[in-house]
Amino acid sequence: LGGRVRYSSLDEREQRFARMLFFSLWPNAGGFGSYQEGFDVLAKNQAVRDEISQIVAIALASATHVTAPLEQGMEGVTLRTHAHYSREEALAALDWASLTRKPSAFVTGVVWSESMATDAFFVTLQKSESEYKATTMYRDFAVSPDVFHWESQNATSTDSPVGQRYLHHRELGSHILILARTTKSNEWKGPRAFRCLGPATIAGHQG
């Protein structure tokens, strides 16, 4: 991107990939007025581009999981099951992040992507009282290899529009996607990436 390749010339899916890269480099949009402005700056920095290429090559060489596409109907979501994503990448892939709605504004742990008809649950499995409020210490954990226990936000009741969408998402034609990480911070005290666990189906609920 930048130089001979223009953001506006990409198709919708390619633009989504481009935005994932953009917000990985500039989580708060970098003060740019357009995505193209950012990519033009990147195009002028050969050393940065070379380092990005090296990082991607190392990541691909050390990958331990084979990624898989999401379920039918989610072809537009540029995420893959078993792959790791930063919060910024995931929000861009879900069409949530934009130049006017920066990833740093996301604090709720759940995202509804209307364009993707997808509810994404961002889960941290091991929560500490120093990083989370008592009201957000949700008990999210794996029950078995294919069953996951997830707690909705306190304000989401079964008869609310959001609760009804969760419970009847298959009939409504929407999707649920789970992205999970073990802890909020990694070993370098930075934000830990989320692993995309893939699409889910509500199997039951209580409370």
Side-chain angles (χ1 to χ4, degrees):
L1 288 161
R4 290 181 298 174
V5 179
R6 310 299 293 175
Y7 176 81
S8 59
S9 69
L10 303 177
D11 63 31
E12 186 176 337
R13 184 174 173 81
E14 290 170 334
Q15 286 186 350
R16 197 165 292 117
F17 277 119
R19 291 195 297 273
M20 291 173 71
L21 171 62
F22 180 92
F23 285 109
S24 292
L25 297 172
W26 299 287
N28 284 312
F32 297 113
S34 70
Y35 297 113
Q36 189 62 55
E37 285 182 22
F39 292 128
D40 286 343
V41 169
L42 179 61
K44 296 174 182 177
N45 286 271
Q46 184 66 48
V48 175
R49 287 159 49 203
D50 289 345
E51 187 167 346
I52 291 173
S53 296
Q54 293 168 21
I55 291 171
V56 170
I58 292 171
L60 290 174
S62 59
T64 57
H65 291 81
V66 176
T67 65
L70 304 178
E71 66 185 0
Q72 185 176 2
M74 300 186 74
E75 293 83 1
V77 182
T78 47
L79 300 174
R80 291 177 66 89
T81 301
H82 304 313
H84 284 88
Y85 299 97
S86 67
R87 176 188 65 175
E88 290 74 20
E89 288 176 310
L91 292 175
L94 291 162
D95 277 350
W96 190 93
S98 68
L99 293 174
T100 56
R101 186 167 59 182
K102 302 169 184 177
S104 58
F106 171 69
V107 295
T108 60
V110 294
V111 159
W112 164 244
S113 172
E114 186 172 2
S115 63
M116 304 293 181
T118 298
D119 280 292
F121 300 162
F122 289 76
V123 173
T124 301
L125 298 173
Q126 300 171 19
K127 303 177 180 69
S128 67
E129 293 182 355
S130 63
E131 295 178 314
Y132 291 86
K133 299 177 181 179
T135 54
T136 59
M137 296 281 281
Y138 302 117
R139 296 182 302 116
D140 304 322
F141 55 89
V143 178
S144 72
D146 58 359
V147 176
F148 194 86
H149 178 277
W150 177 80
E151 289 191 339
S152 67
Q153 293 179 293
N154 294 324
T156 305
S157 62
T158 55
D159 57 354
S160 68
V162 173
Q164 285 294 299
R165 188 175 68 235
Y166 291 166
L167 295 175
H168 304 290
H169 68 100
R170 289 300 182 193
E171 301 97 295
L172 296 172
S174 64
H175 310 272
I176 290 176
L177 189 64
I178 300 178
L179 299 104
R181 60 185 178 182
T182 52
T183 57
K184 184 176 182 179
S185 303
N186 59 27
E187 53 268 46
W188 301 285
K189 307 302 181 183
R192 187 178 294 279
F194 292 87
R195 176 175 289 173
C196 179
L197 301 186
T201 300
I202 295 292
H205 72 282
Q206 62 182 9

